[in-house]
């Protein structure tokens, strides 16, 4: 997840630097709101790691929801970027924080601490890329 988001962010930043992507004012506004929402959802590592797993998962899902809502309001390159970011974060939707208690889980699995760290880092990197888009 971290590598995919890093590659996406790098590609977006490169397209802006190379003037392949001329970010419209409306896209800047949506990117700024998305960046703010991501920052609110997933805080610094020391804050996230101190949270119970169920809260960490809820915040990651909140970040994914914020991306999906932003995606619903754009077209073109920003939509492609946000869509790819949502796709990269979809494993979060299959994670569970509660014990299965020997019942079916609809395919949900418990994520490792490393997977949480990876996903949270990916969200922070997306936030930085979206901030770059707003100033690009």
């Amino acid at each position: 997840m971290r590598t995919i988001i890093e590659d996406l962010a790098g590609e977006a930043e490169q397209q802006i630097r190379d003037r392949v992507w001329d970010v419209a004012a409306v896209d800047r506004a949506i990117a700024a709101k998305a960046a703010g929402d991501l920052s609110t959802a997933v805080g610094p590592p020391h804050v996230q790691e101190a949270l119970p797993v169920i809260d960490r998962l809820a915040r990651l899902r909140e970040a994914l929801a914020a991306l999906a809502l932003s995606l619903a309001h754009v077209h073109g390159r920003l939509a492609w970027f946000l869509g790819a970011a949502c796709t990269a974060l979809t494993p979060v939707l299959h994670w569970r924080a509660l014990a299965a208690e020997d019942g079916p889980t609809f395919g949900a699995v418990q994520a490792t601490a490393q997977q949480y760290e990876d996903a949270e880092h990916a969200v922070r990197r997306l936030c930085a890329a979206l901030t770059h888009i707003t100033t690009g």
Side-chain angles (χ1 to χ4, degrees):
M1 194 177 309
R2 178 183 270 193
T3 302
I4 294 168
I5 294 298
E6 189 62 49
D7 291 347
L8 285 172
E11 182 179 348
E13 292 163 354
Q14 185 67 45
Q15 286 185 20
I16 291 168
R17 263 192 313 276
D18 293 347
R19 300 185 193 270
V20 172
W21 183 359
D22 182 25
V23 184
V26 68
D27 288 349
R28 282 192 174 103
I30 291 170
K33 175 154 180 18
D37 291 345
L38 293 181
S39 180
T40 298
V42 175
H46 71 280
V47 171
Q48 290 303 119
E49 291 168 9
L51 294 172
V53 173
I54 197 164
D55 293 332
R56 289 177 81 176
L57 181 55
R59 287 176 176 226
L60 285 167
R61 289 177 180 163
E62 183 180 330
L64 185 53
L67 288 172
L69 286 172
S70 297
L71 173 60
H73 299 285
V74 295
H75 301 283
R77 291 187 191 279
L78 185 55
W80 304 334
F81 174 74
L82 293 173
C86 286
T87 299
L89 292 175
T90 57
V92 168
L93 298 175
H94 301 285
W95 295 353
R96 63 181 169 82
L98 301 176
E101 298 180 15
D102 297 325
T105 64
F106 302 98
V109 298
Q110 289 187 309
T112 66
Q114 182 59 48
Q115 287 172 306
Y116 277 101
E117 290 173 26
D118 187 49
E120 290 160 351
H121 177 83
V123 170
R124 286 186 207 97
R125 181 62 178 104
L126 277 173
C127 183
L130 287 163
T131 300
H132 183 263
I133 289 168
T134 66
T135 62

